[in-house]
Amino acid sequence: MIRFRNPGTQYTTQIQVFRELYNEYKDAPSFSLDDMAETIARTKLMTAYGYAGDAALALSNTDNDSLNSTKMNAKMYAEVFRLLGWITSAGSGSYPLVFTYIGEHAACTDEVLPLYEQCVLGINNPQRIMDVKYDEKVRFFKAALFSLEDLGGIMYKHELCLGPMSIDDLDRSQYARMITYLQKLRGSYKRYEEAYKGLCEDLDVKPTLPDNSTRLPIAFMKTCNWIDSKRTKDLYPPKSLECICLTDHGREVAKSLHNVKDLRLDEYVTYSEAKQRALIRLGVYSMLFRAGYNTDPVKETIQNDTNECKDILAGKPLLFSPYQTLHHDEVDDALNLKRNHGSYHRNRTILPNVSRPDLVINDLNLSVTVETVSRNEDAEVERFTSYVNKLKLAGKKKREIIDRVFEECITDTQTRFYPFVATLFRVMGLDCTASRPGDNGARWDAIIVDDEESIPIEIKSPTEEQHLSLKAIRQALENKVILLSRETHPTKPETTSLAVGYYLPNDRAEVTNLMIDFKNTYGYSIGVIDLKTLLTIAITILLDGKTIDIQKLNRLEGFANATFK
Amino acid sequence: MPLLSKEEKRNSIALPKINQIDSVTQRYGETAIIRGKGRSISGACLKCKNPRCMRFPEAYISCPEFEDFSYERNNNVCPVDAISWDYSKDIPRIDHEKCINCGICALMCPIGAIYSDGNKVYVSEPRNDYSILPVTASNIRLQEELFTRLMTLNWQHRFLHESQSIMSNIYKKVSKFDGRSMSANLLIRNLMIAVGHHCSISRTGDVYTRIDAVYSDGDIYDACYGAMEIEFGRDTLDASRGILDDIAVLHSRNGIDKEKNTALVACLSFPNKRQGYFQVIKDVNKVLNLKIQTVSLGALLILAWNGIEVDFSQKDFYADFDNLSIRSALNNNIKRRVELPEGFLGILEPEK
């Protein structure tokens, strides 16, 4: 199966990025991935960690390229533009890059879409320009349009993987078998599931890989207005699936492709050098002509080359994209292109000194003292206490007990998890109650009630989100504002507002950033506690007879970490 | 080797046969009337070299106050791509299937040549009152001089008089927007531009930018600018949380003082009172001293259709639990009563 990586699919951003790159490097002999990253960041066409421009560059600057989000972003666009034949390798390696003659046209026009459409049709395999080689010999988008035509104008995205991505499309019998196969698959969701599973097993890949491979092709086809989306149960009942449907324009394009000379690399190499050079010129000029360019200045060349290749063309228009098939030296040579580079001076930027906050902010500690906890026992606290004691009597160590309870909570929904979190705070001796589910009046999920410093708690159960997200932090701020405004419980501005979840956030740096932003802007502290920390504190209190320093909790800012003295 | 050029398909431009234009007026549902030297003619397409009804200048879709905001560069005036150039007639063509009747293209037309009958939008073709001229540098210069003159007249566009049926039709079409498409954000951005602001929206797929949009009135002195959250779904509480996030990020990271951030929530319809949004907006005002204003799509349409340049700095569009309506702000701006019943589509206050 041919693969399409998962790059930026937004057309307007693609075009803007390409124009900016062209403006910056049109006079340079070549440009690198670092150059691209710098331009994309500087023109604010990407952000990193909430920052744009030089700050984004500085923040993503790391020795490990795969962690450098700006560079990875640049690589993503490089792949799209290479696929479209707008840029290509300058030499034998993947980088540095140069603009192609077609790419120059794409950069210099207001109406890019007609040329974009030609370039999408130009994507074919095999070719000599990309590192990755696939077994299938296919002009994918032509095959996809034909498949859509032959399958009633509608396909499910994974049918693209099972069908046109996995065939040699010029082999008529193979194509026909593929259509019959997909037709027979339809009517049963189970049949489809088995087929898709089989494909993944054959390729030895996770199911997400073929699925991701459909994103770019679908985006390309939507941008070209060949397809739109429709949700239907018709294809694989009883499942309702979002399918792609051929538009009128897509139908017209498909129709026009039935009557072209579709030239591929395998055939191209069989011709004489003179014919190859003529085919290159005809391929490039016919793409530009179909995209609305005035080819009068090269009319004579086209006429001569058409005569030279009349046996090959047999009166049909040529579908052949040289820059998407051959090395640019060969194409440039046939077009008699001389690359005259103007004077170009590269200015390297001195990056600002910015760093991500997780590098400088330490987790906060909750210390536990050795005084005895005093709490009002209630049924839930008693139940939890006896469960912990039972596990202890069964020979479990404290860490094992914590891990066991933690694992048991993984499937908890809001109705179980919120009261359980409140119970754990009560074990600490705090007066904590969970709000009733659906009680819109109480916006927080639980609250620690105190005579002076009540603390609202935003809780995310593991079935809502396993890792706390920015959303919980936003809600914690809202809880604080509401509590201060409505004065339902006494509190102080400096008292924390808590967010509790199963795991700490995945992107701790961005959550830290936001907590810092809230503190800087509104003056309120948000504290974040994960279930394991909460269990560690509660079970330590139960088993070791310790108490928590409430003042530390009241002033918690950032991530809590339980330590024991 | 030189690049090939696109075929020169644009053949002509048009200029009205009036030597000195004195005034332009426009009534709802009609083209503008251009008066000068004792005669008057109807506004008709000038076949602009750079059609203002199709593309915004780059400056309109960027906000200088928010120079670090990574914004969408699509500068189409039509949020649903319903307007394109008809090379056979050399004027813009409206795709009535796609068109939602928002009128933004009409409001951008310098001579009031685009109008709606309430259902469909039309472009008036230049007839005998106009000179059709070849596209030459001198003719383009003449046209530019005309635009300057029309700008200095500062005339007020009128597109449609709001009515229940017109609004219902638009809301019906907008409710069919694909939730993942940018159309809703583009529509709000373009309406903000139509009511006299610069406005930028975040790029689709930019996971690091949580701010939906930023706007600025473009004034050098005493500028009014702010963050925007655009919420066409039901989760308006997400918008109130989002706007506090936006204000904090801009204050803390980008040096946009929270006191100067005239933040806006743009929604399809005003949220229901029970949803808690307006209560939270009141809390935010009480505790943080921030007046978050709320505008609906319908309200922006009405303002734009009356050629109003809206001043958000006065916080007239502030609505909270104690005052759930922006009706009086609309009435004051358009200098008449909005003719929509209370609660209609949640345009000026929550639906009943």
Side-chain angles (χ1 to χ4, degrees), chain A residues 80-146:
Chain A
V80 177
F81 302 143
R82 198 196 291 269
L83 207 55
L84 290 167
W86 293 358
I87 59 174
T88 193
S89 304
S92 54
S94 298
Y95 298 96
L97 299 155
V98 288
F99 295 102
T100 67
Y101 186 58
I102 289 283
E104 288 184 74
H105 281 84
C108 298
T109 180
D110 285 340
E111 280 185 290
V112 195
L113 197 54
L115 187 55
Y116 189 90
E117 193 174 12
Q118 290 304 314
C119 296
V120 171
L121 284 174
I123 297 168
N124 74 119
N125 192 64
Q127 33 68 26
R128 290 174 181 163
I129 52 159
M130 310 275 267
D131 282 345
V132 194
K133 306 283 178 209
Y134 301 107
D135 294 336
E136 289 79 6
K137 295 178 174 182
V138 61
R139 187 179 293 284
F140 170 74
F141 289 96
K142 182 177 153 227
L145 285 170
F146 284 2

Side-chain angles (χ1 to χ4, degrees), chain A residues 37-38 40-44 46-62 68-70 349-356 513, chain B residues 67-68 253-254:
Chain A
E38 196 172 317
I40 295 170
R42 176 132 328 115
T43 52
K44 317 260 167 31
M46 68 144 291
T47 50
Y49 314 114
Y51 290 86
D54 290 346
L57 266 177
L59 282 169
S60 55
N61 196 15
T62 150
N68 183 332
S69 62
T70 319
T349 315
I350 299 157
L351 296 178
N353 185 19
V354 280
S355 58
R356 302 199 74 195
N513 254 335
Chain B
E67 61 170 11
D68 282 334
R253 303 184 204 179
N254 303 105

Side-chain angles (χ1 to χ4, degrees), chain B residues 53-104:
Chain B
C53 58
M54 290 176 66
R55 306 242 191 284
F56 289 122
E58 167 68 21
Y60 288 17
I61 61 162
S62 64
C63 299
E65 288 84 357
F66 301 91
E67 61 170 11
D68 282 334
F69 187 69
S70 176
Y71 61 95
E72 173 59 42
R73 308 298 166 95
N74 172 341
N75 64 340
N76 289 351
V77 167
C78 180
V80 293
D81 289 332
I83 190 164
S84 58
W85 196 259
D86 180 347
Y87 287 97
S88 64
K89 292 182 178 173
D90 236 3
I91 60 167
R93 167 180 44 210
I94 311 284
D95 180 340
H96 292 132
E97 283 294 310
K98 287 183 179 176
C99 176
I100 59 167
N101 210 16
C102 66
I104 303 170

Side-chain angles (χ1 to χ4, degrees), chain A residues 12 43-44 242 485-486, chain B residues 70 72-73 180 206 283 286:
Chain A
T12 48
T43 52
K44 317 260 167 31
E242 187 157 296
S485 167
R486 300 183 198 174
Chain B
S70 176
E72 173 59 42
R73 308 298 166 95
R180 285 166 300 180
D206 179 0
D283 295 326
K286 183 177 166 190

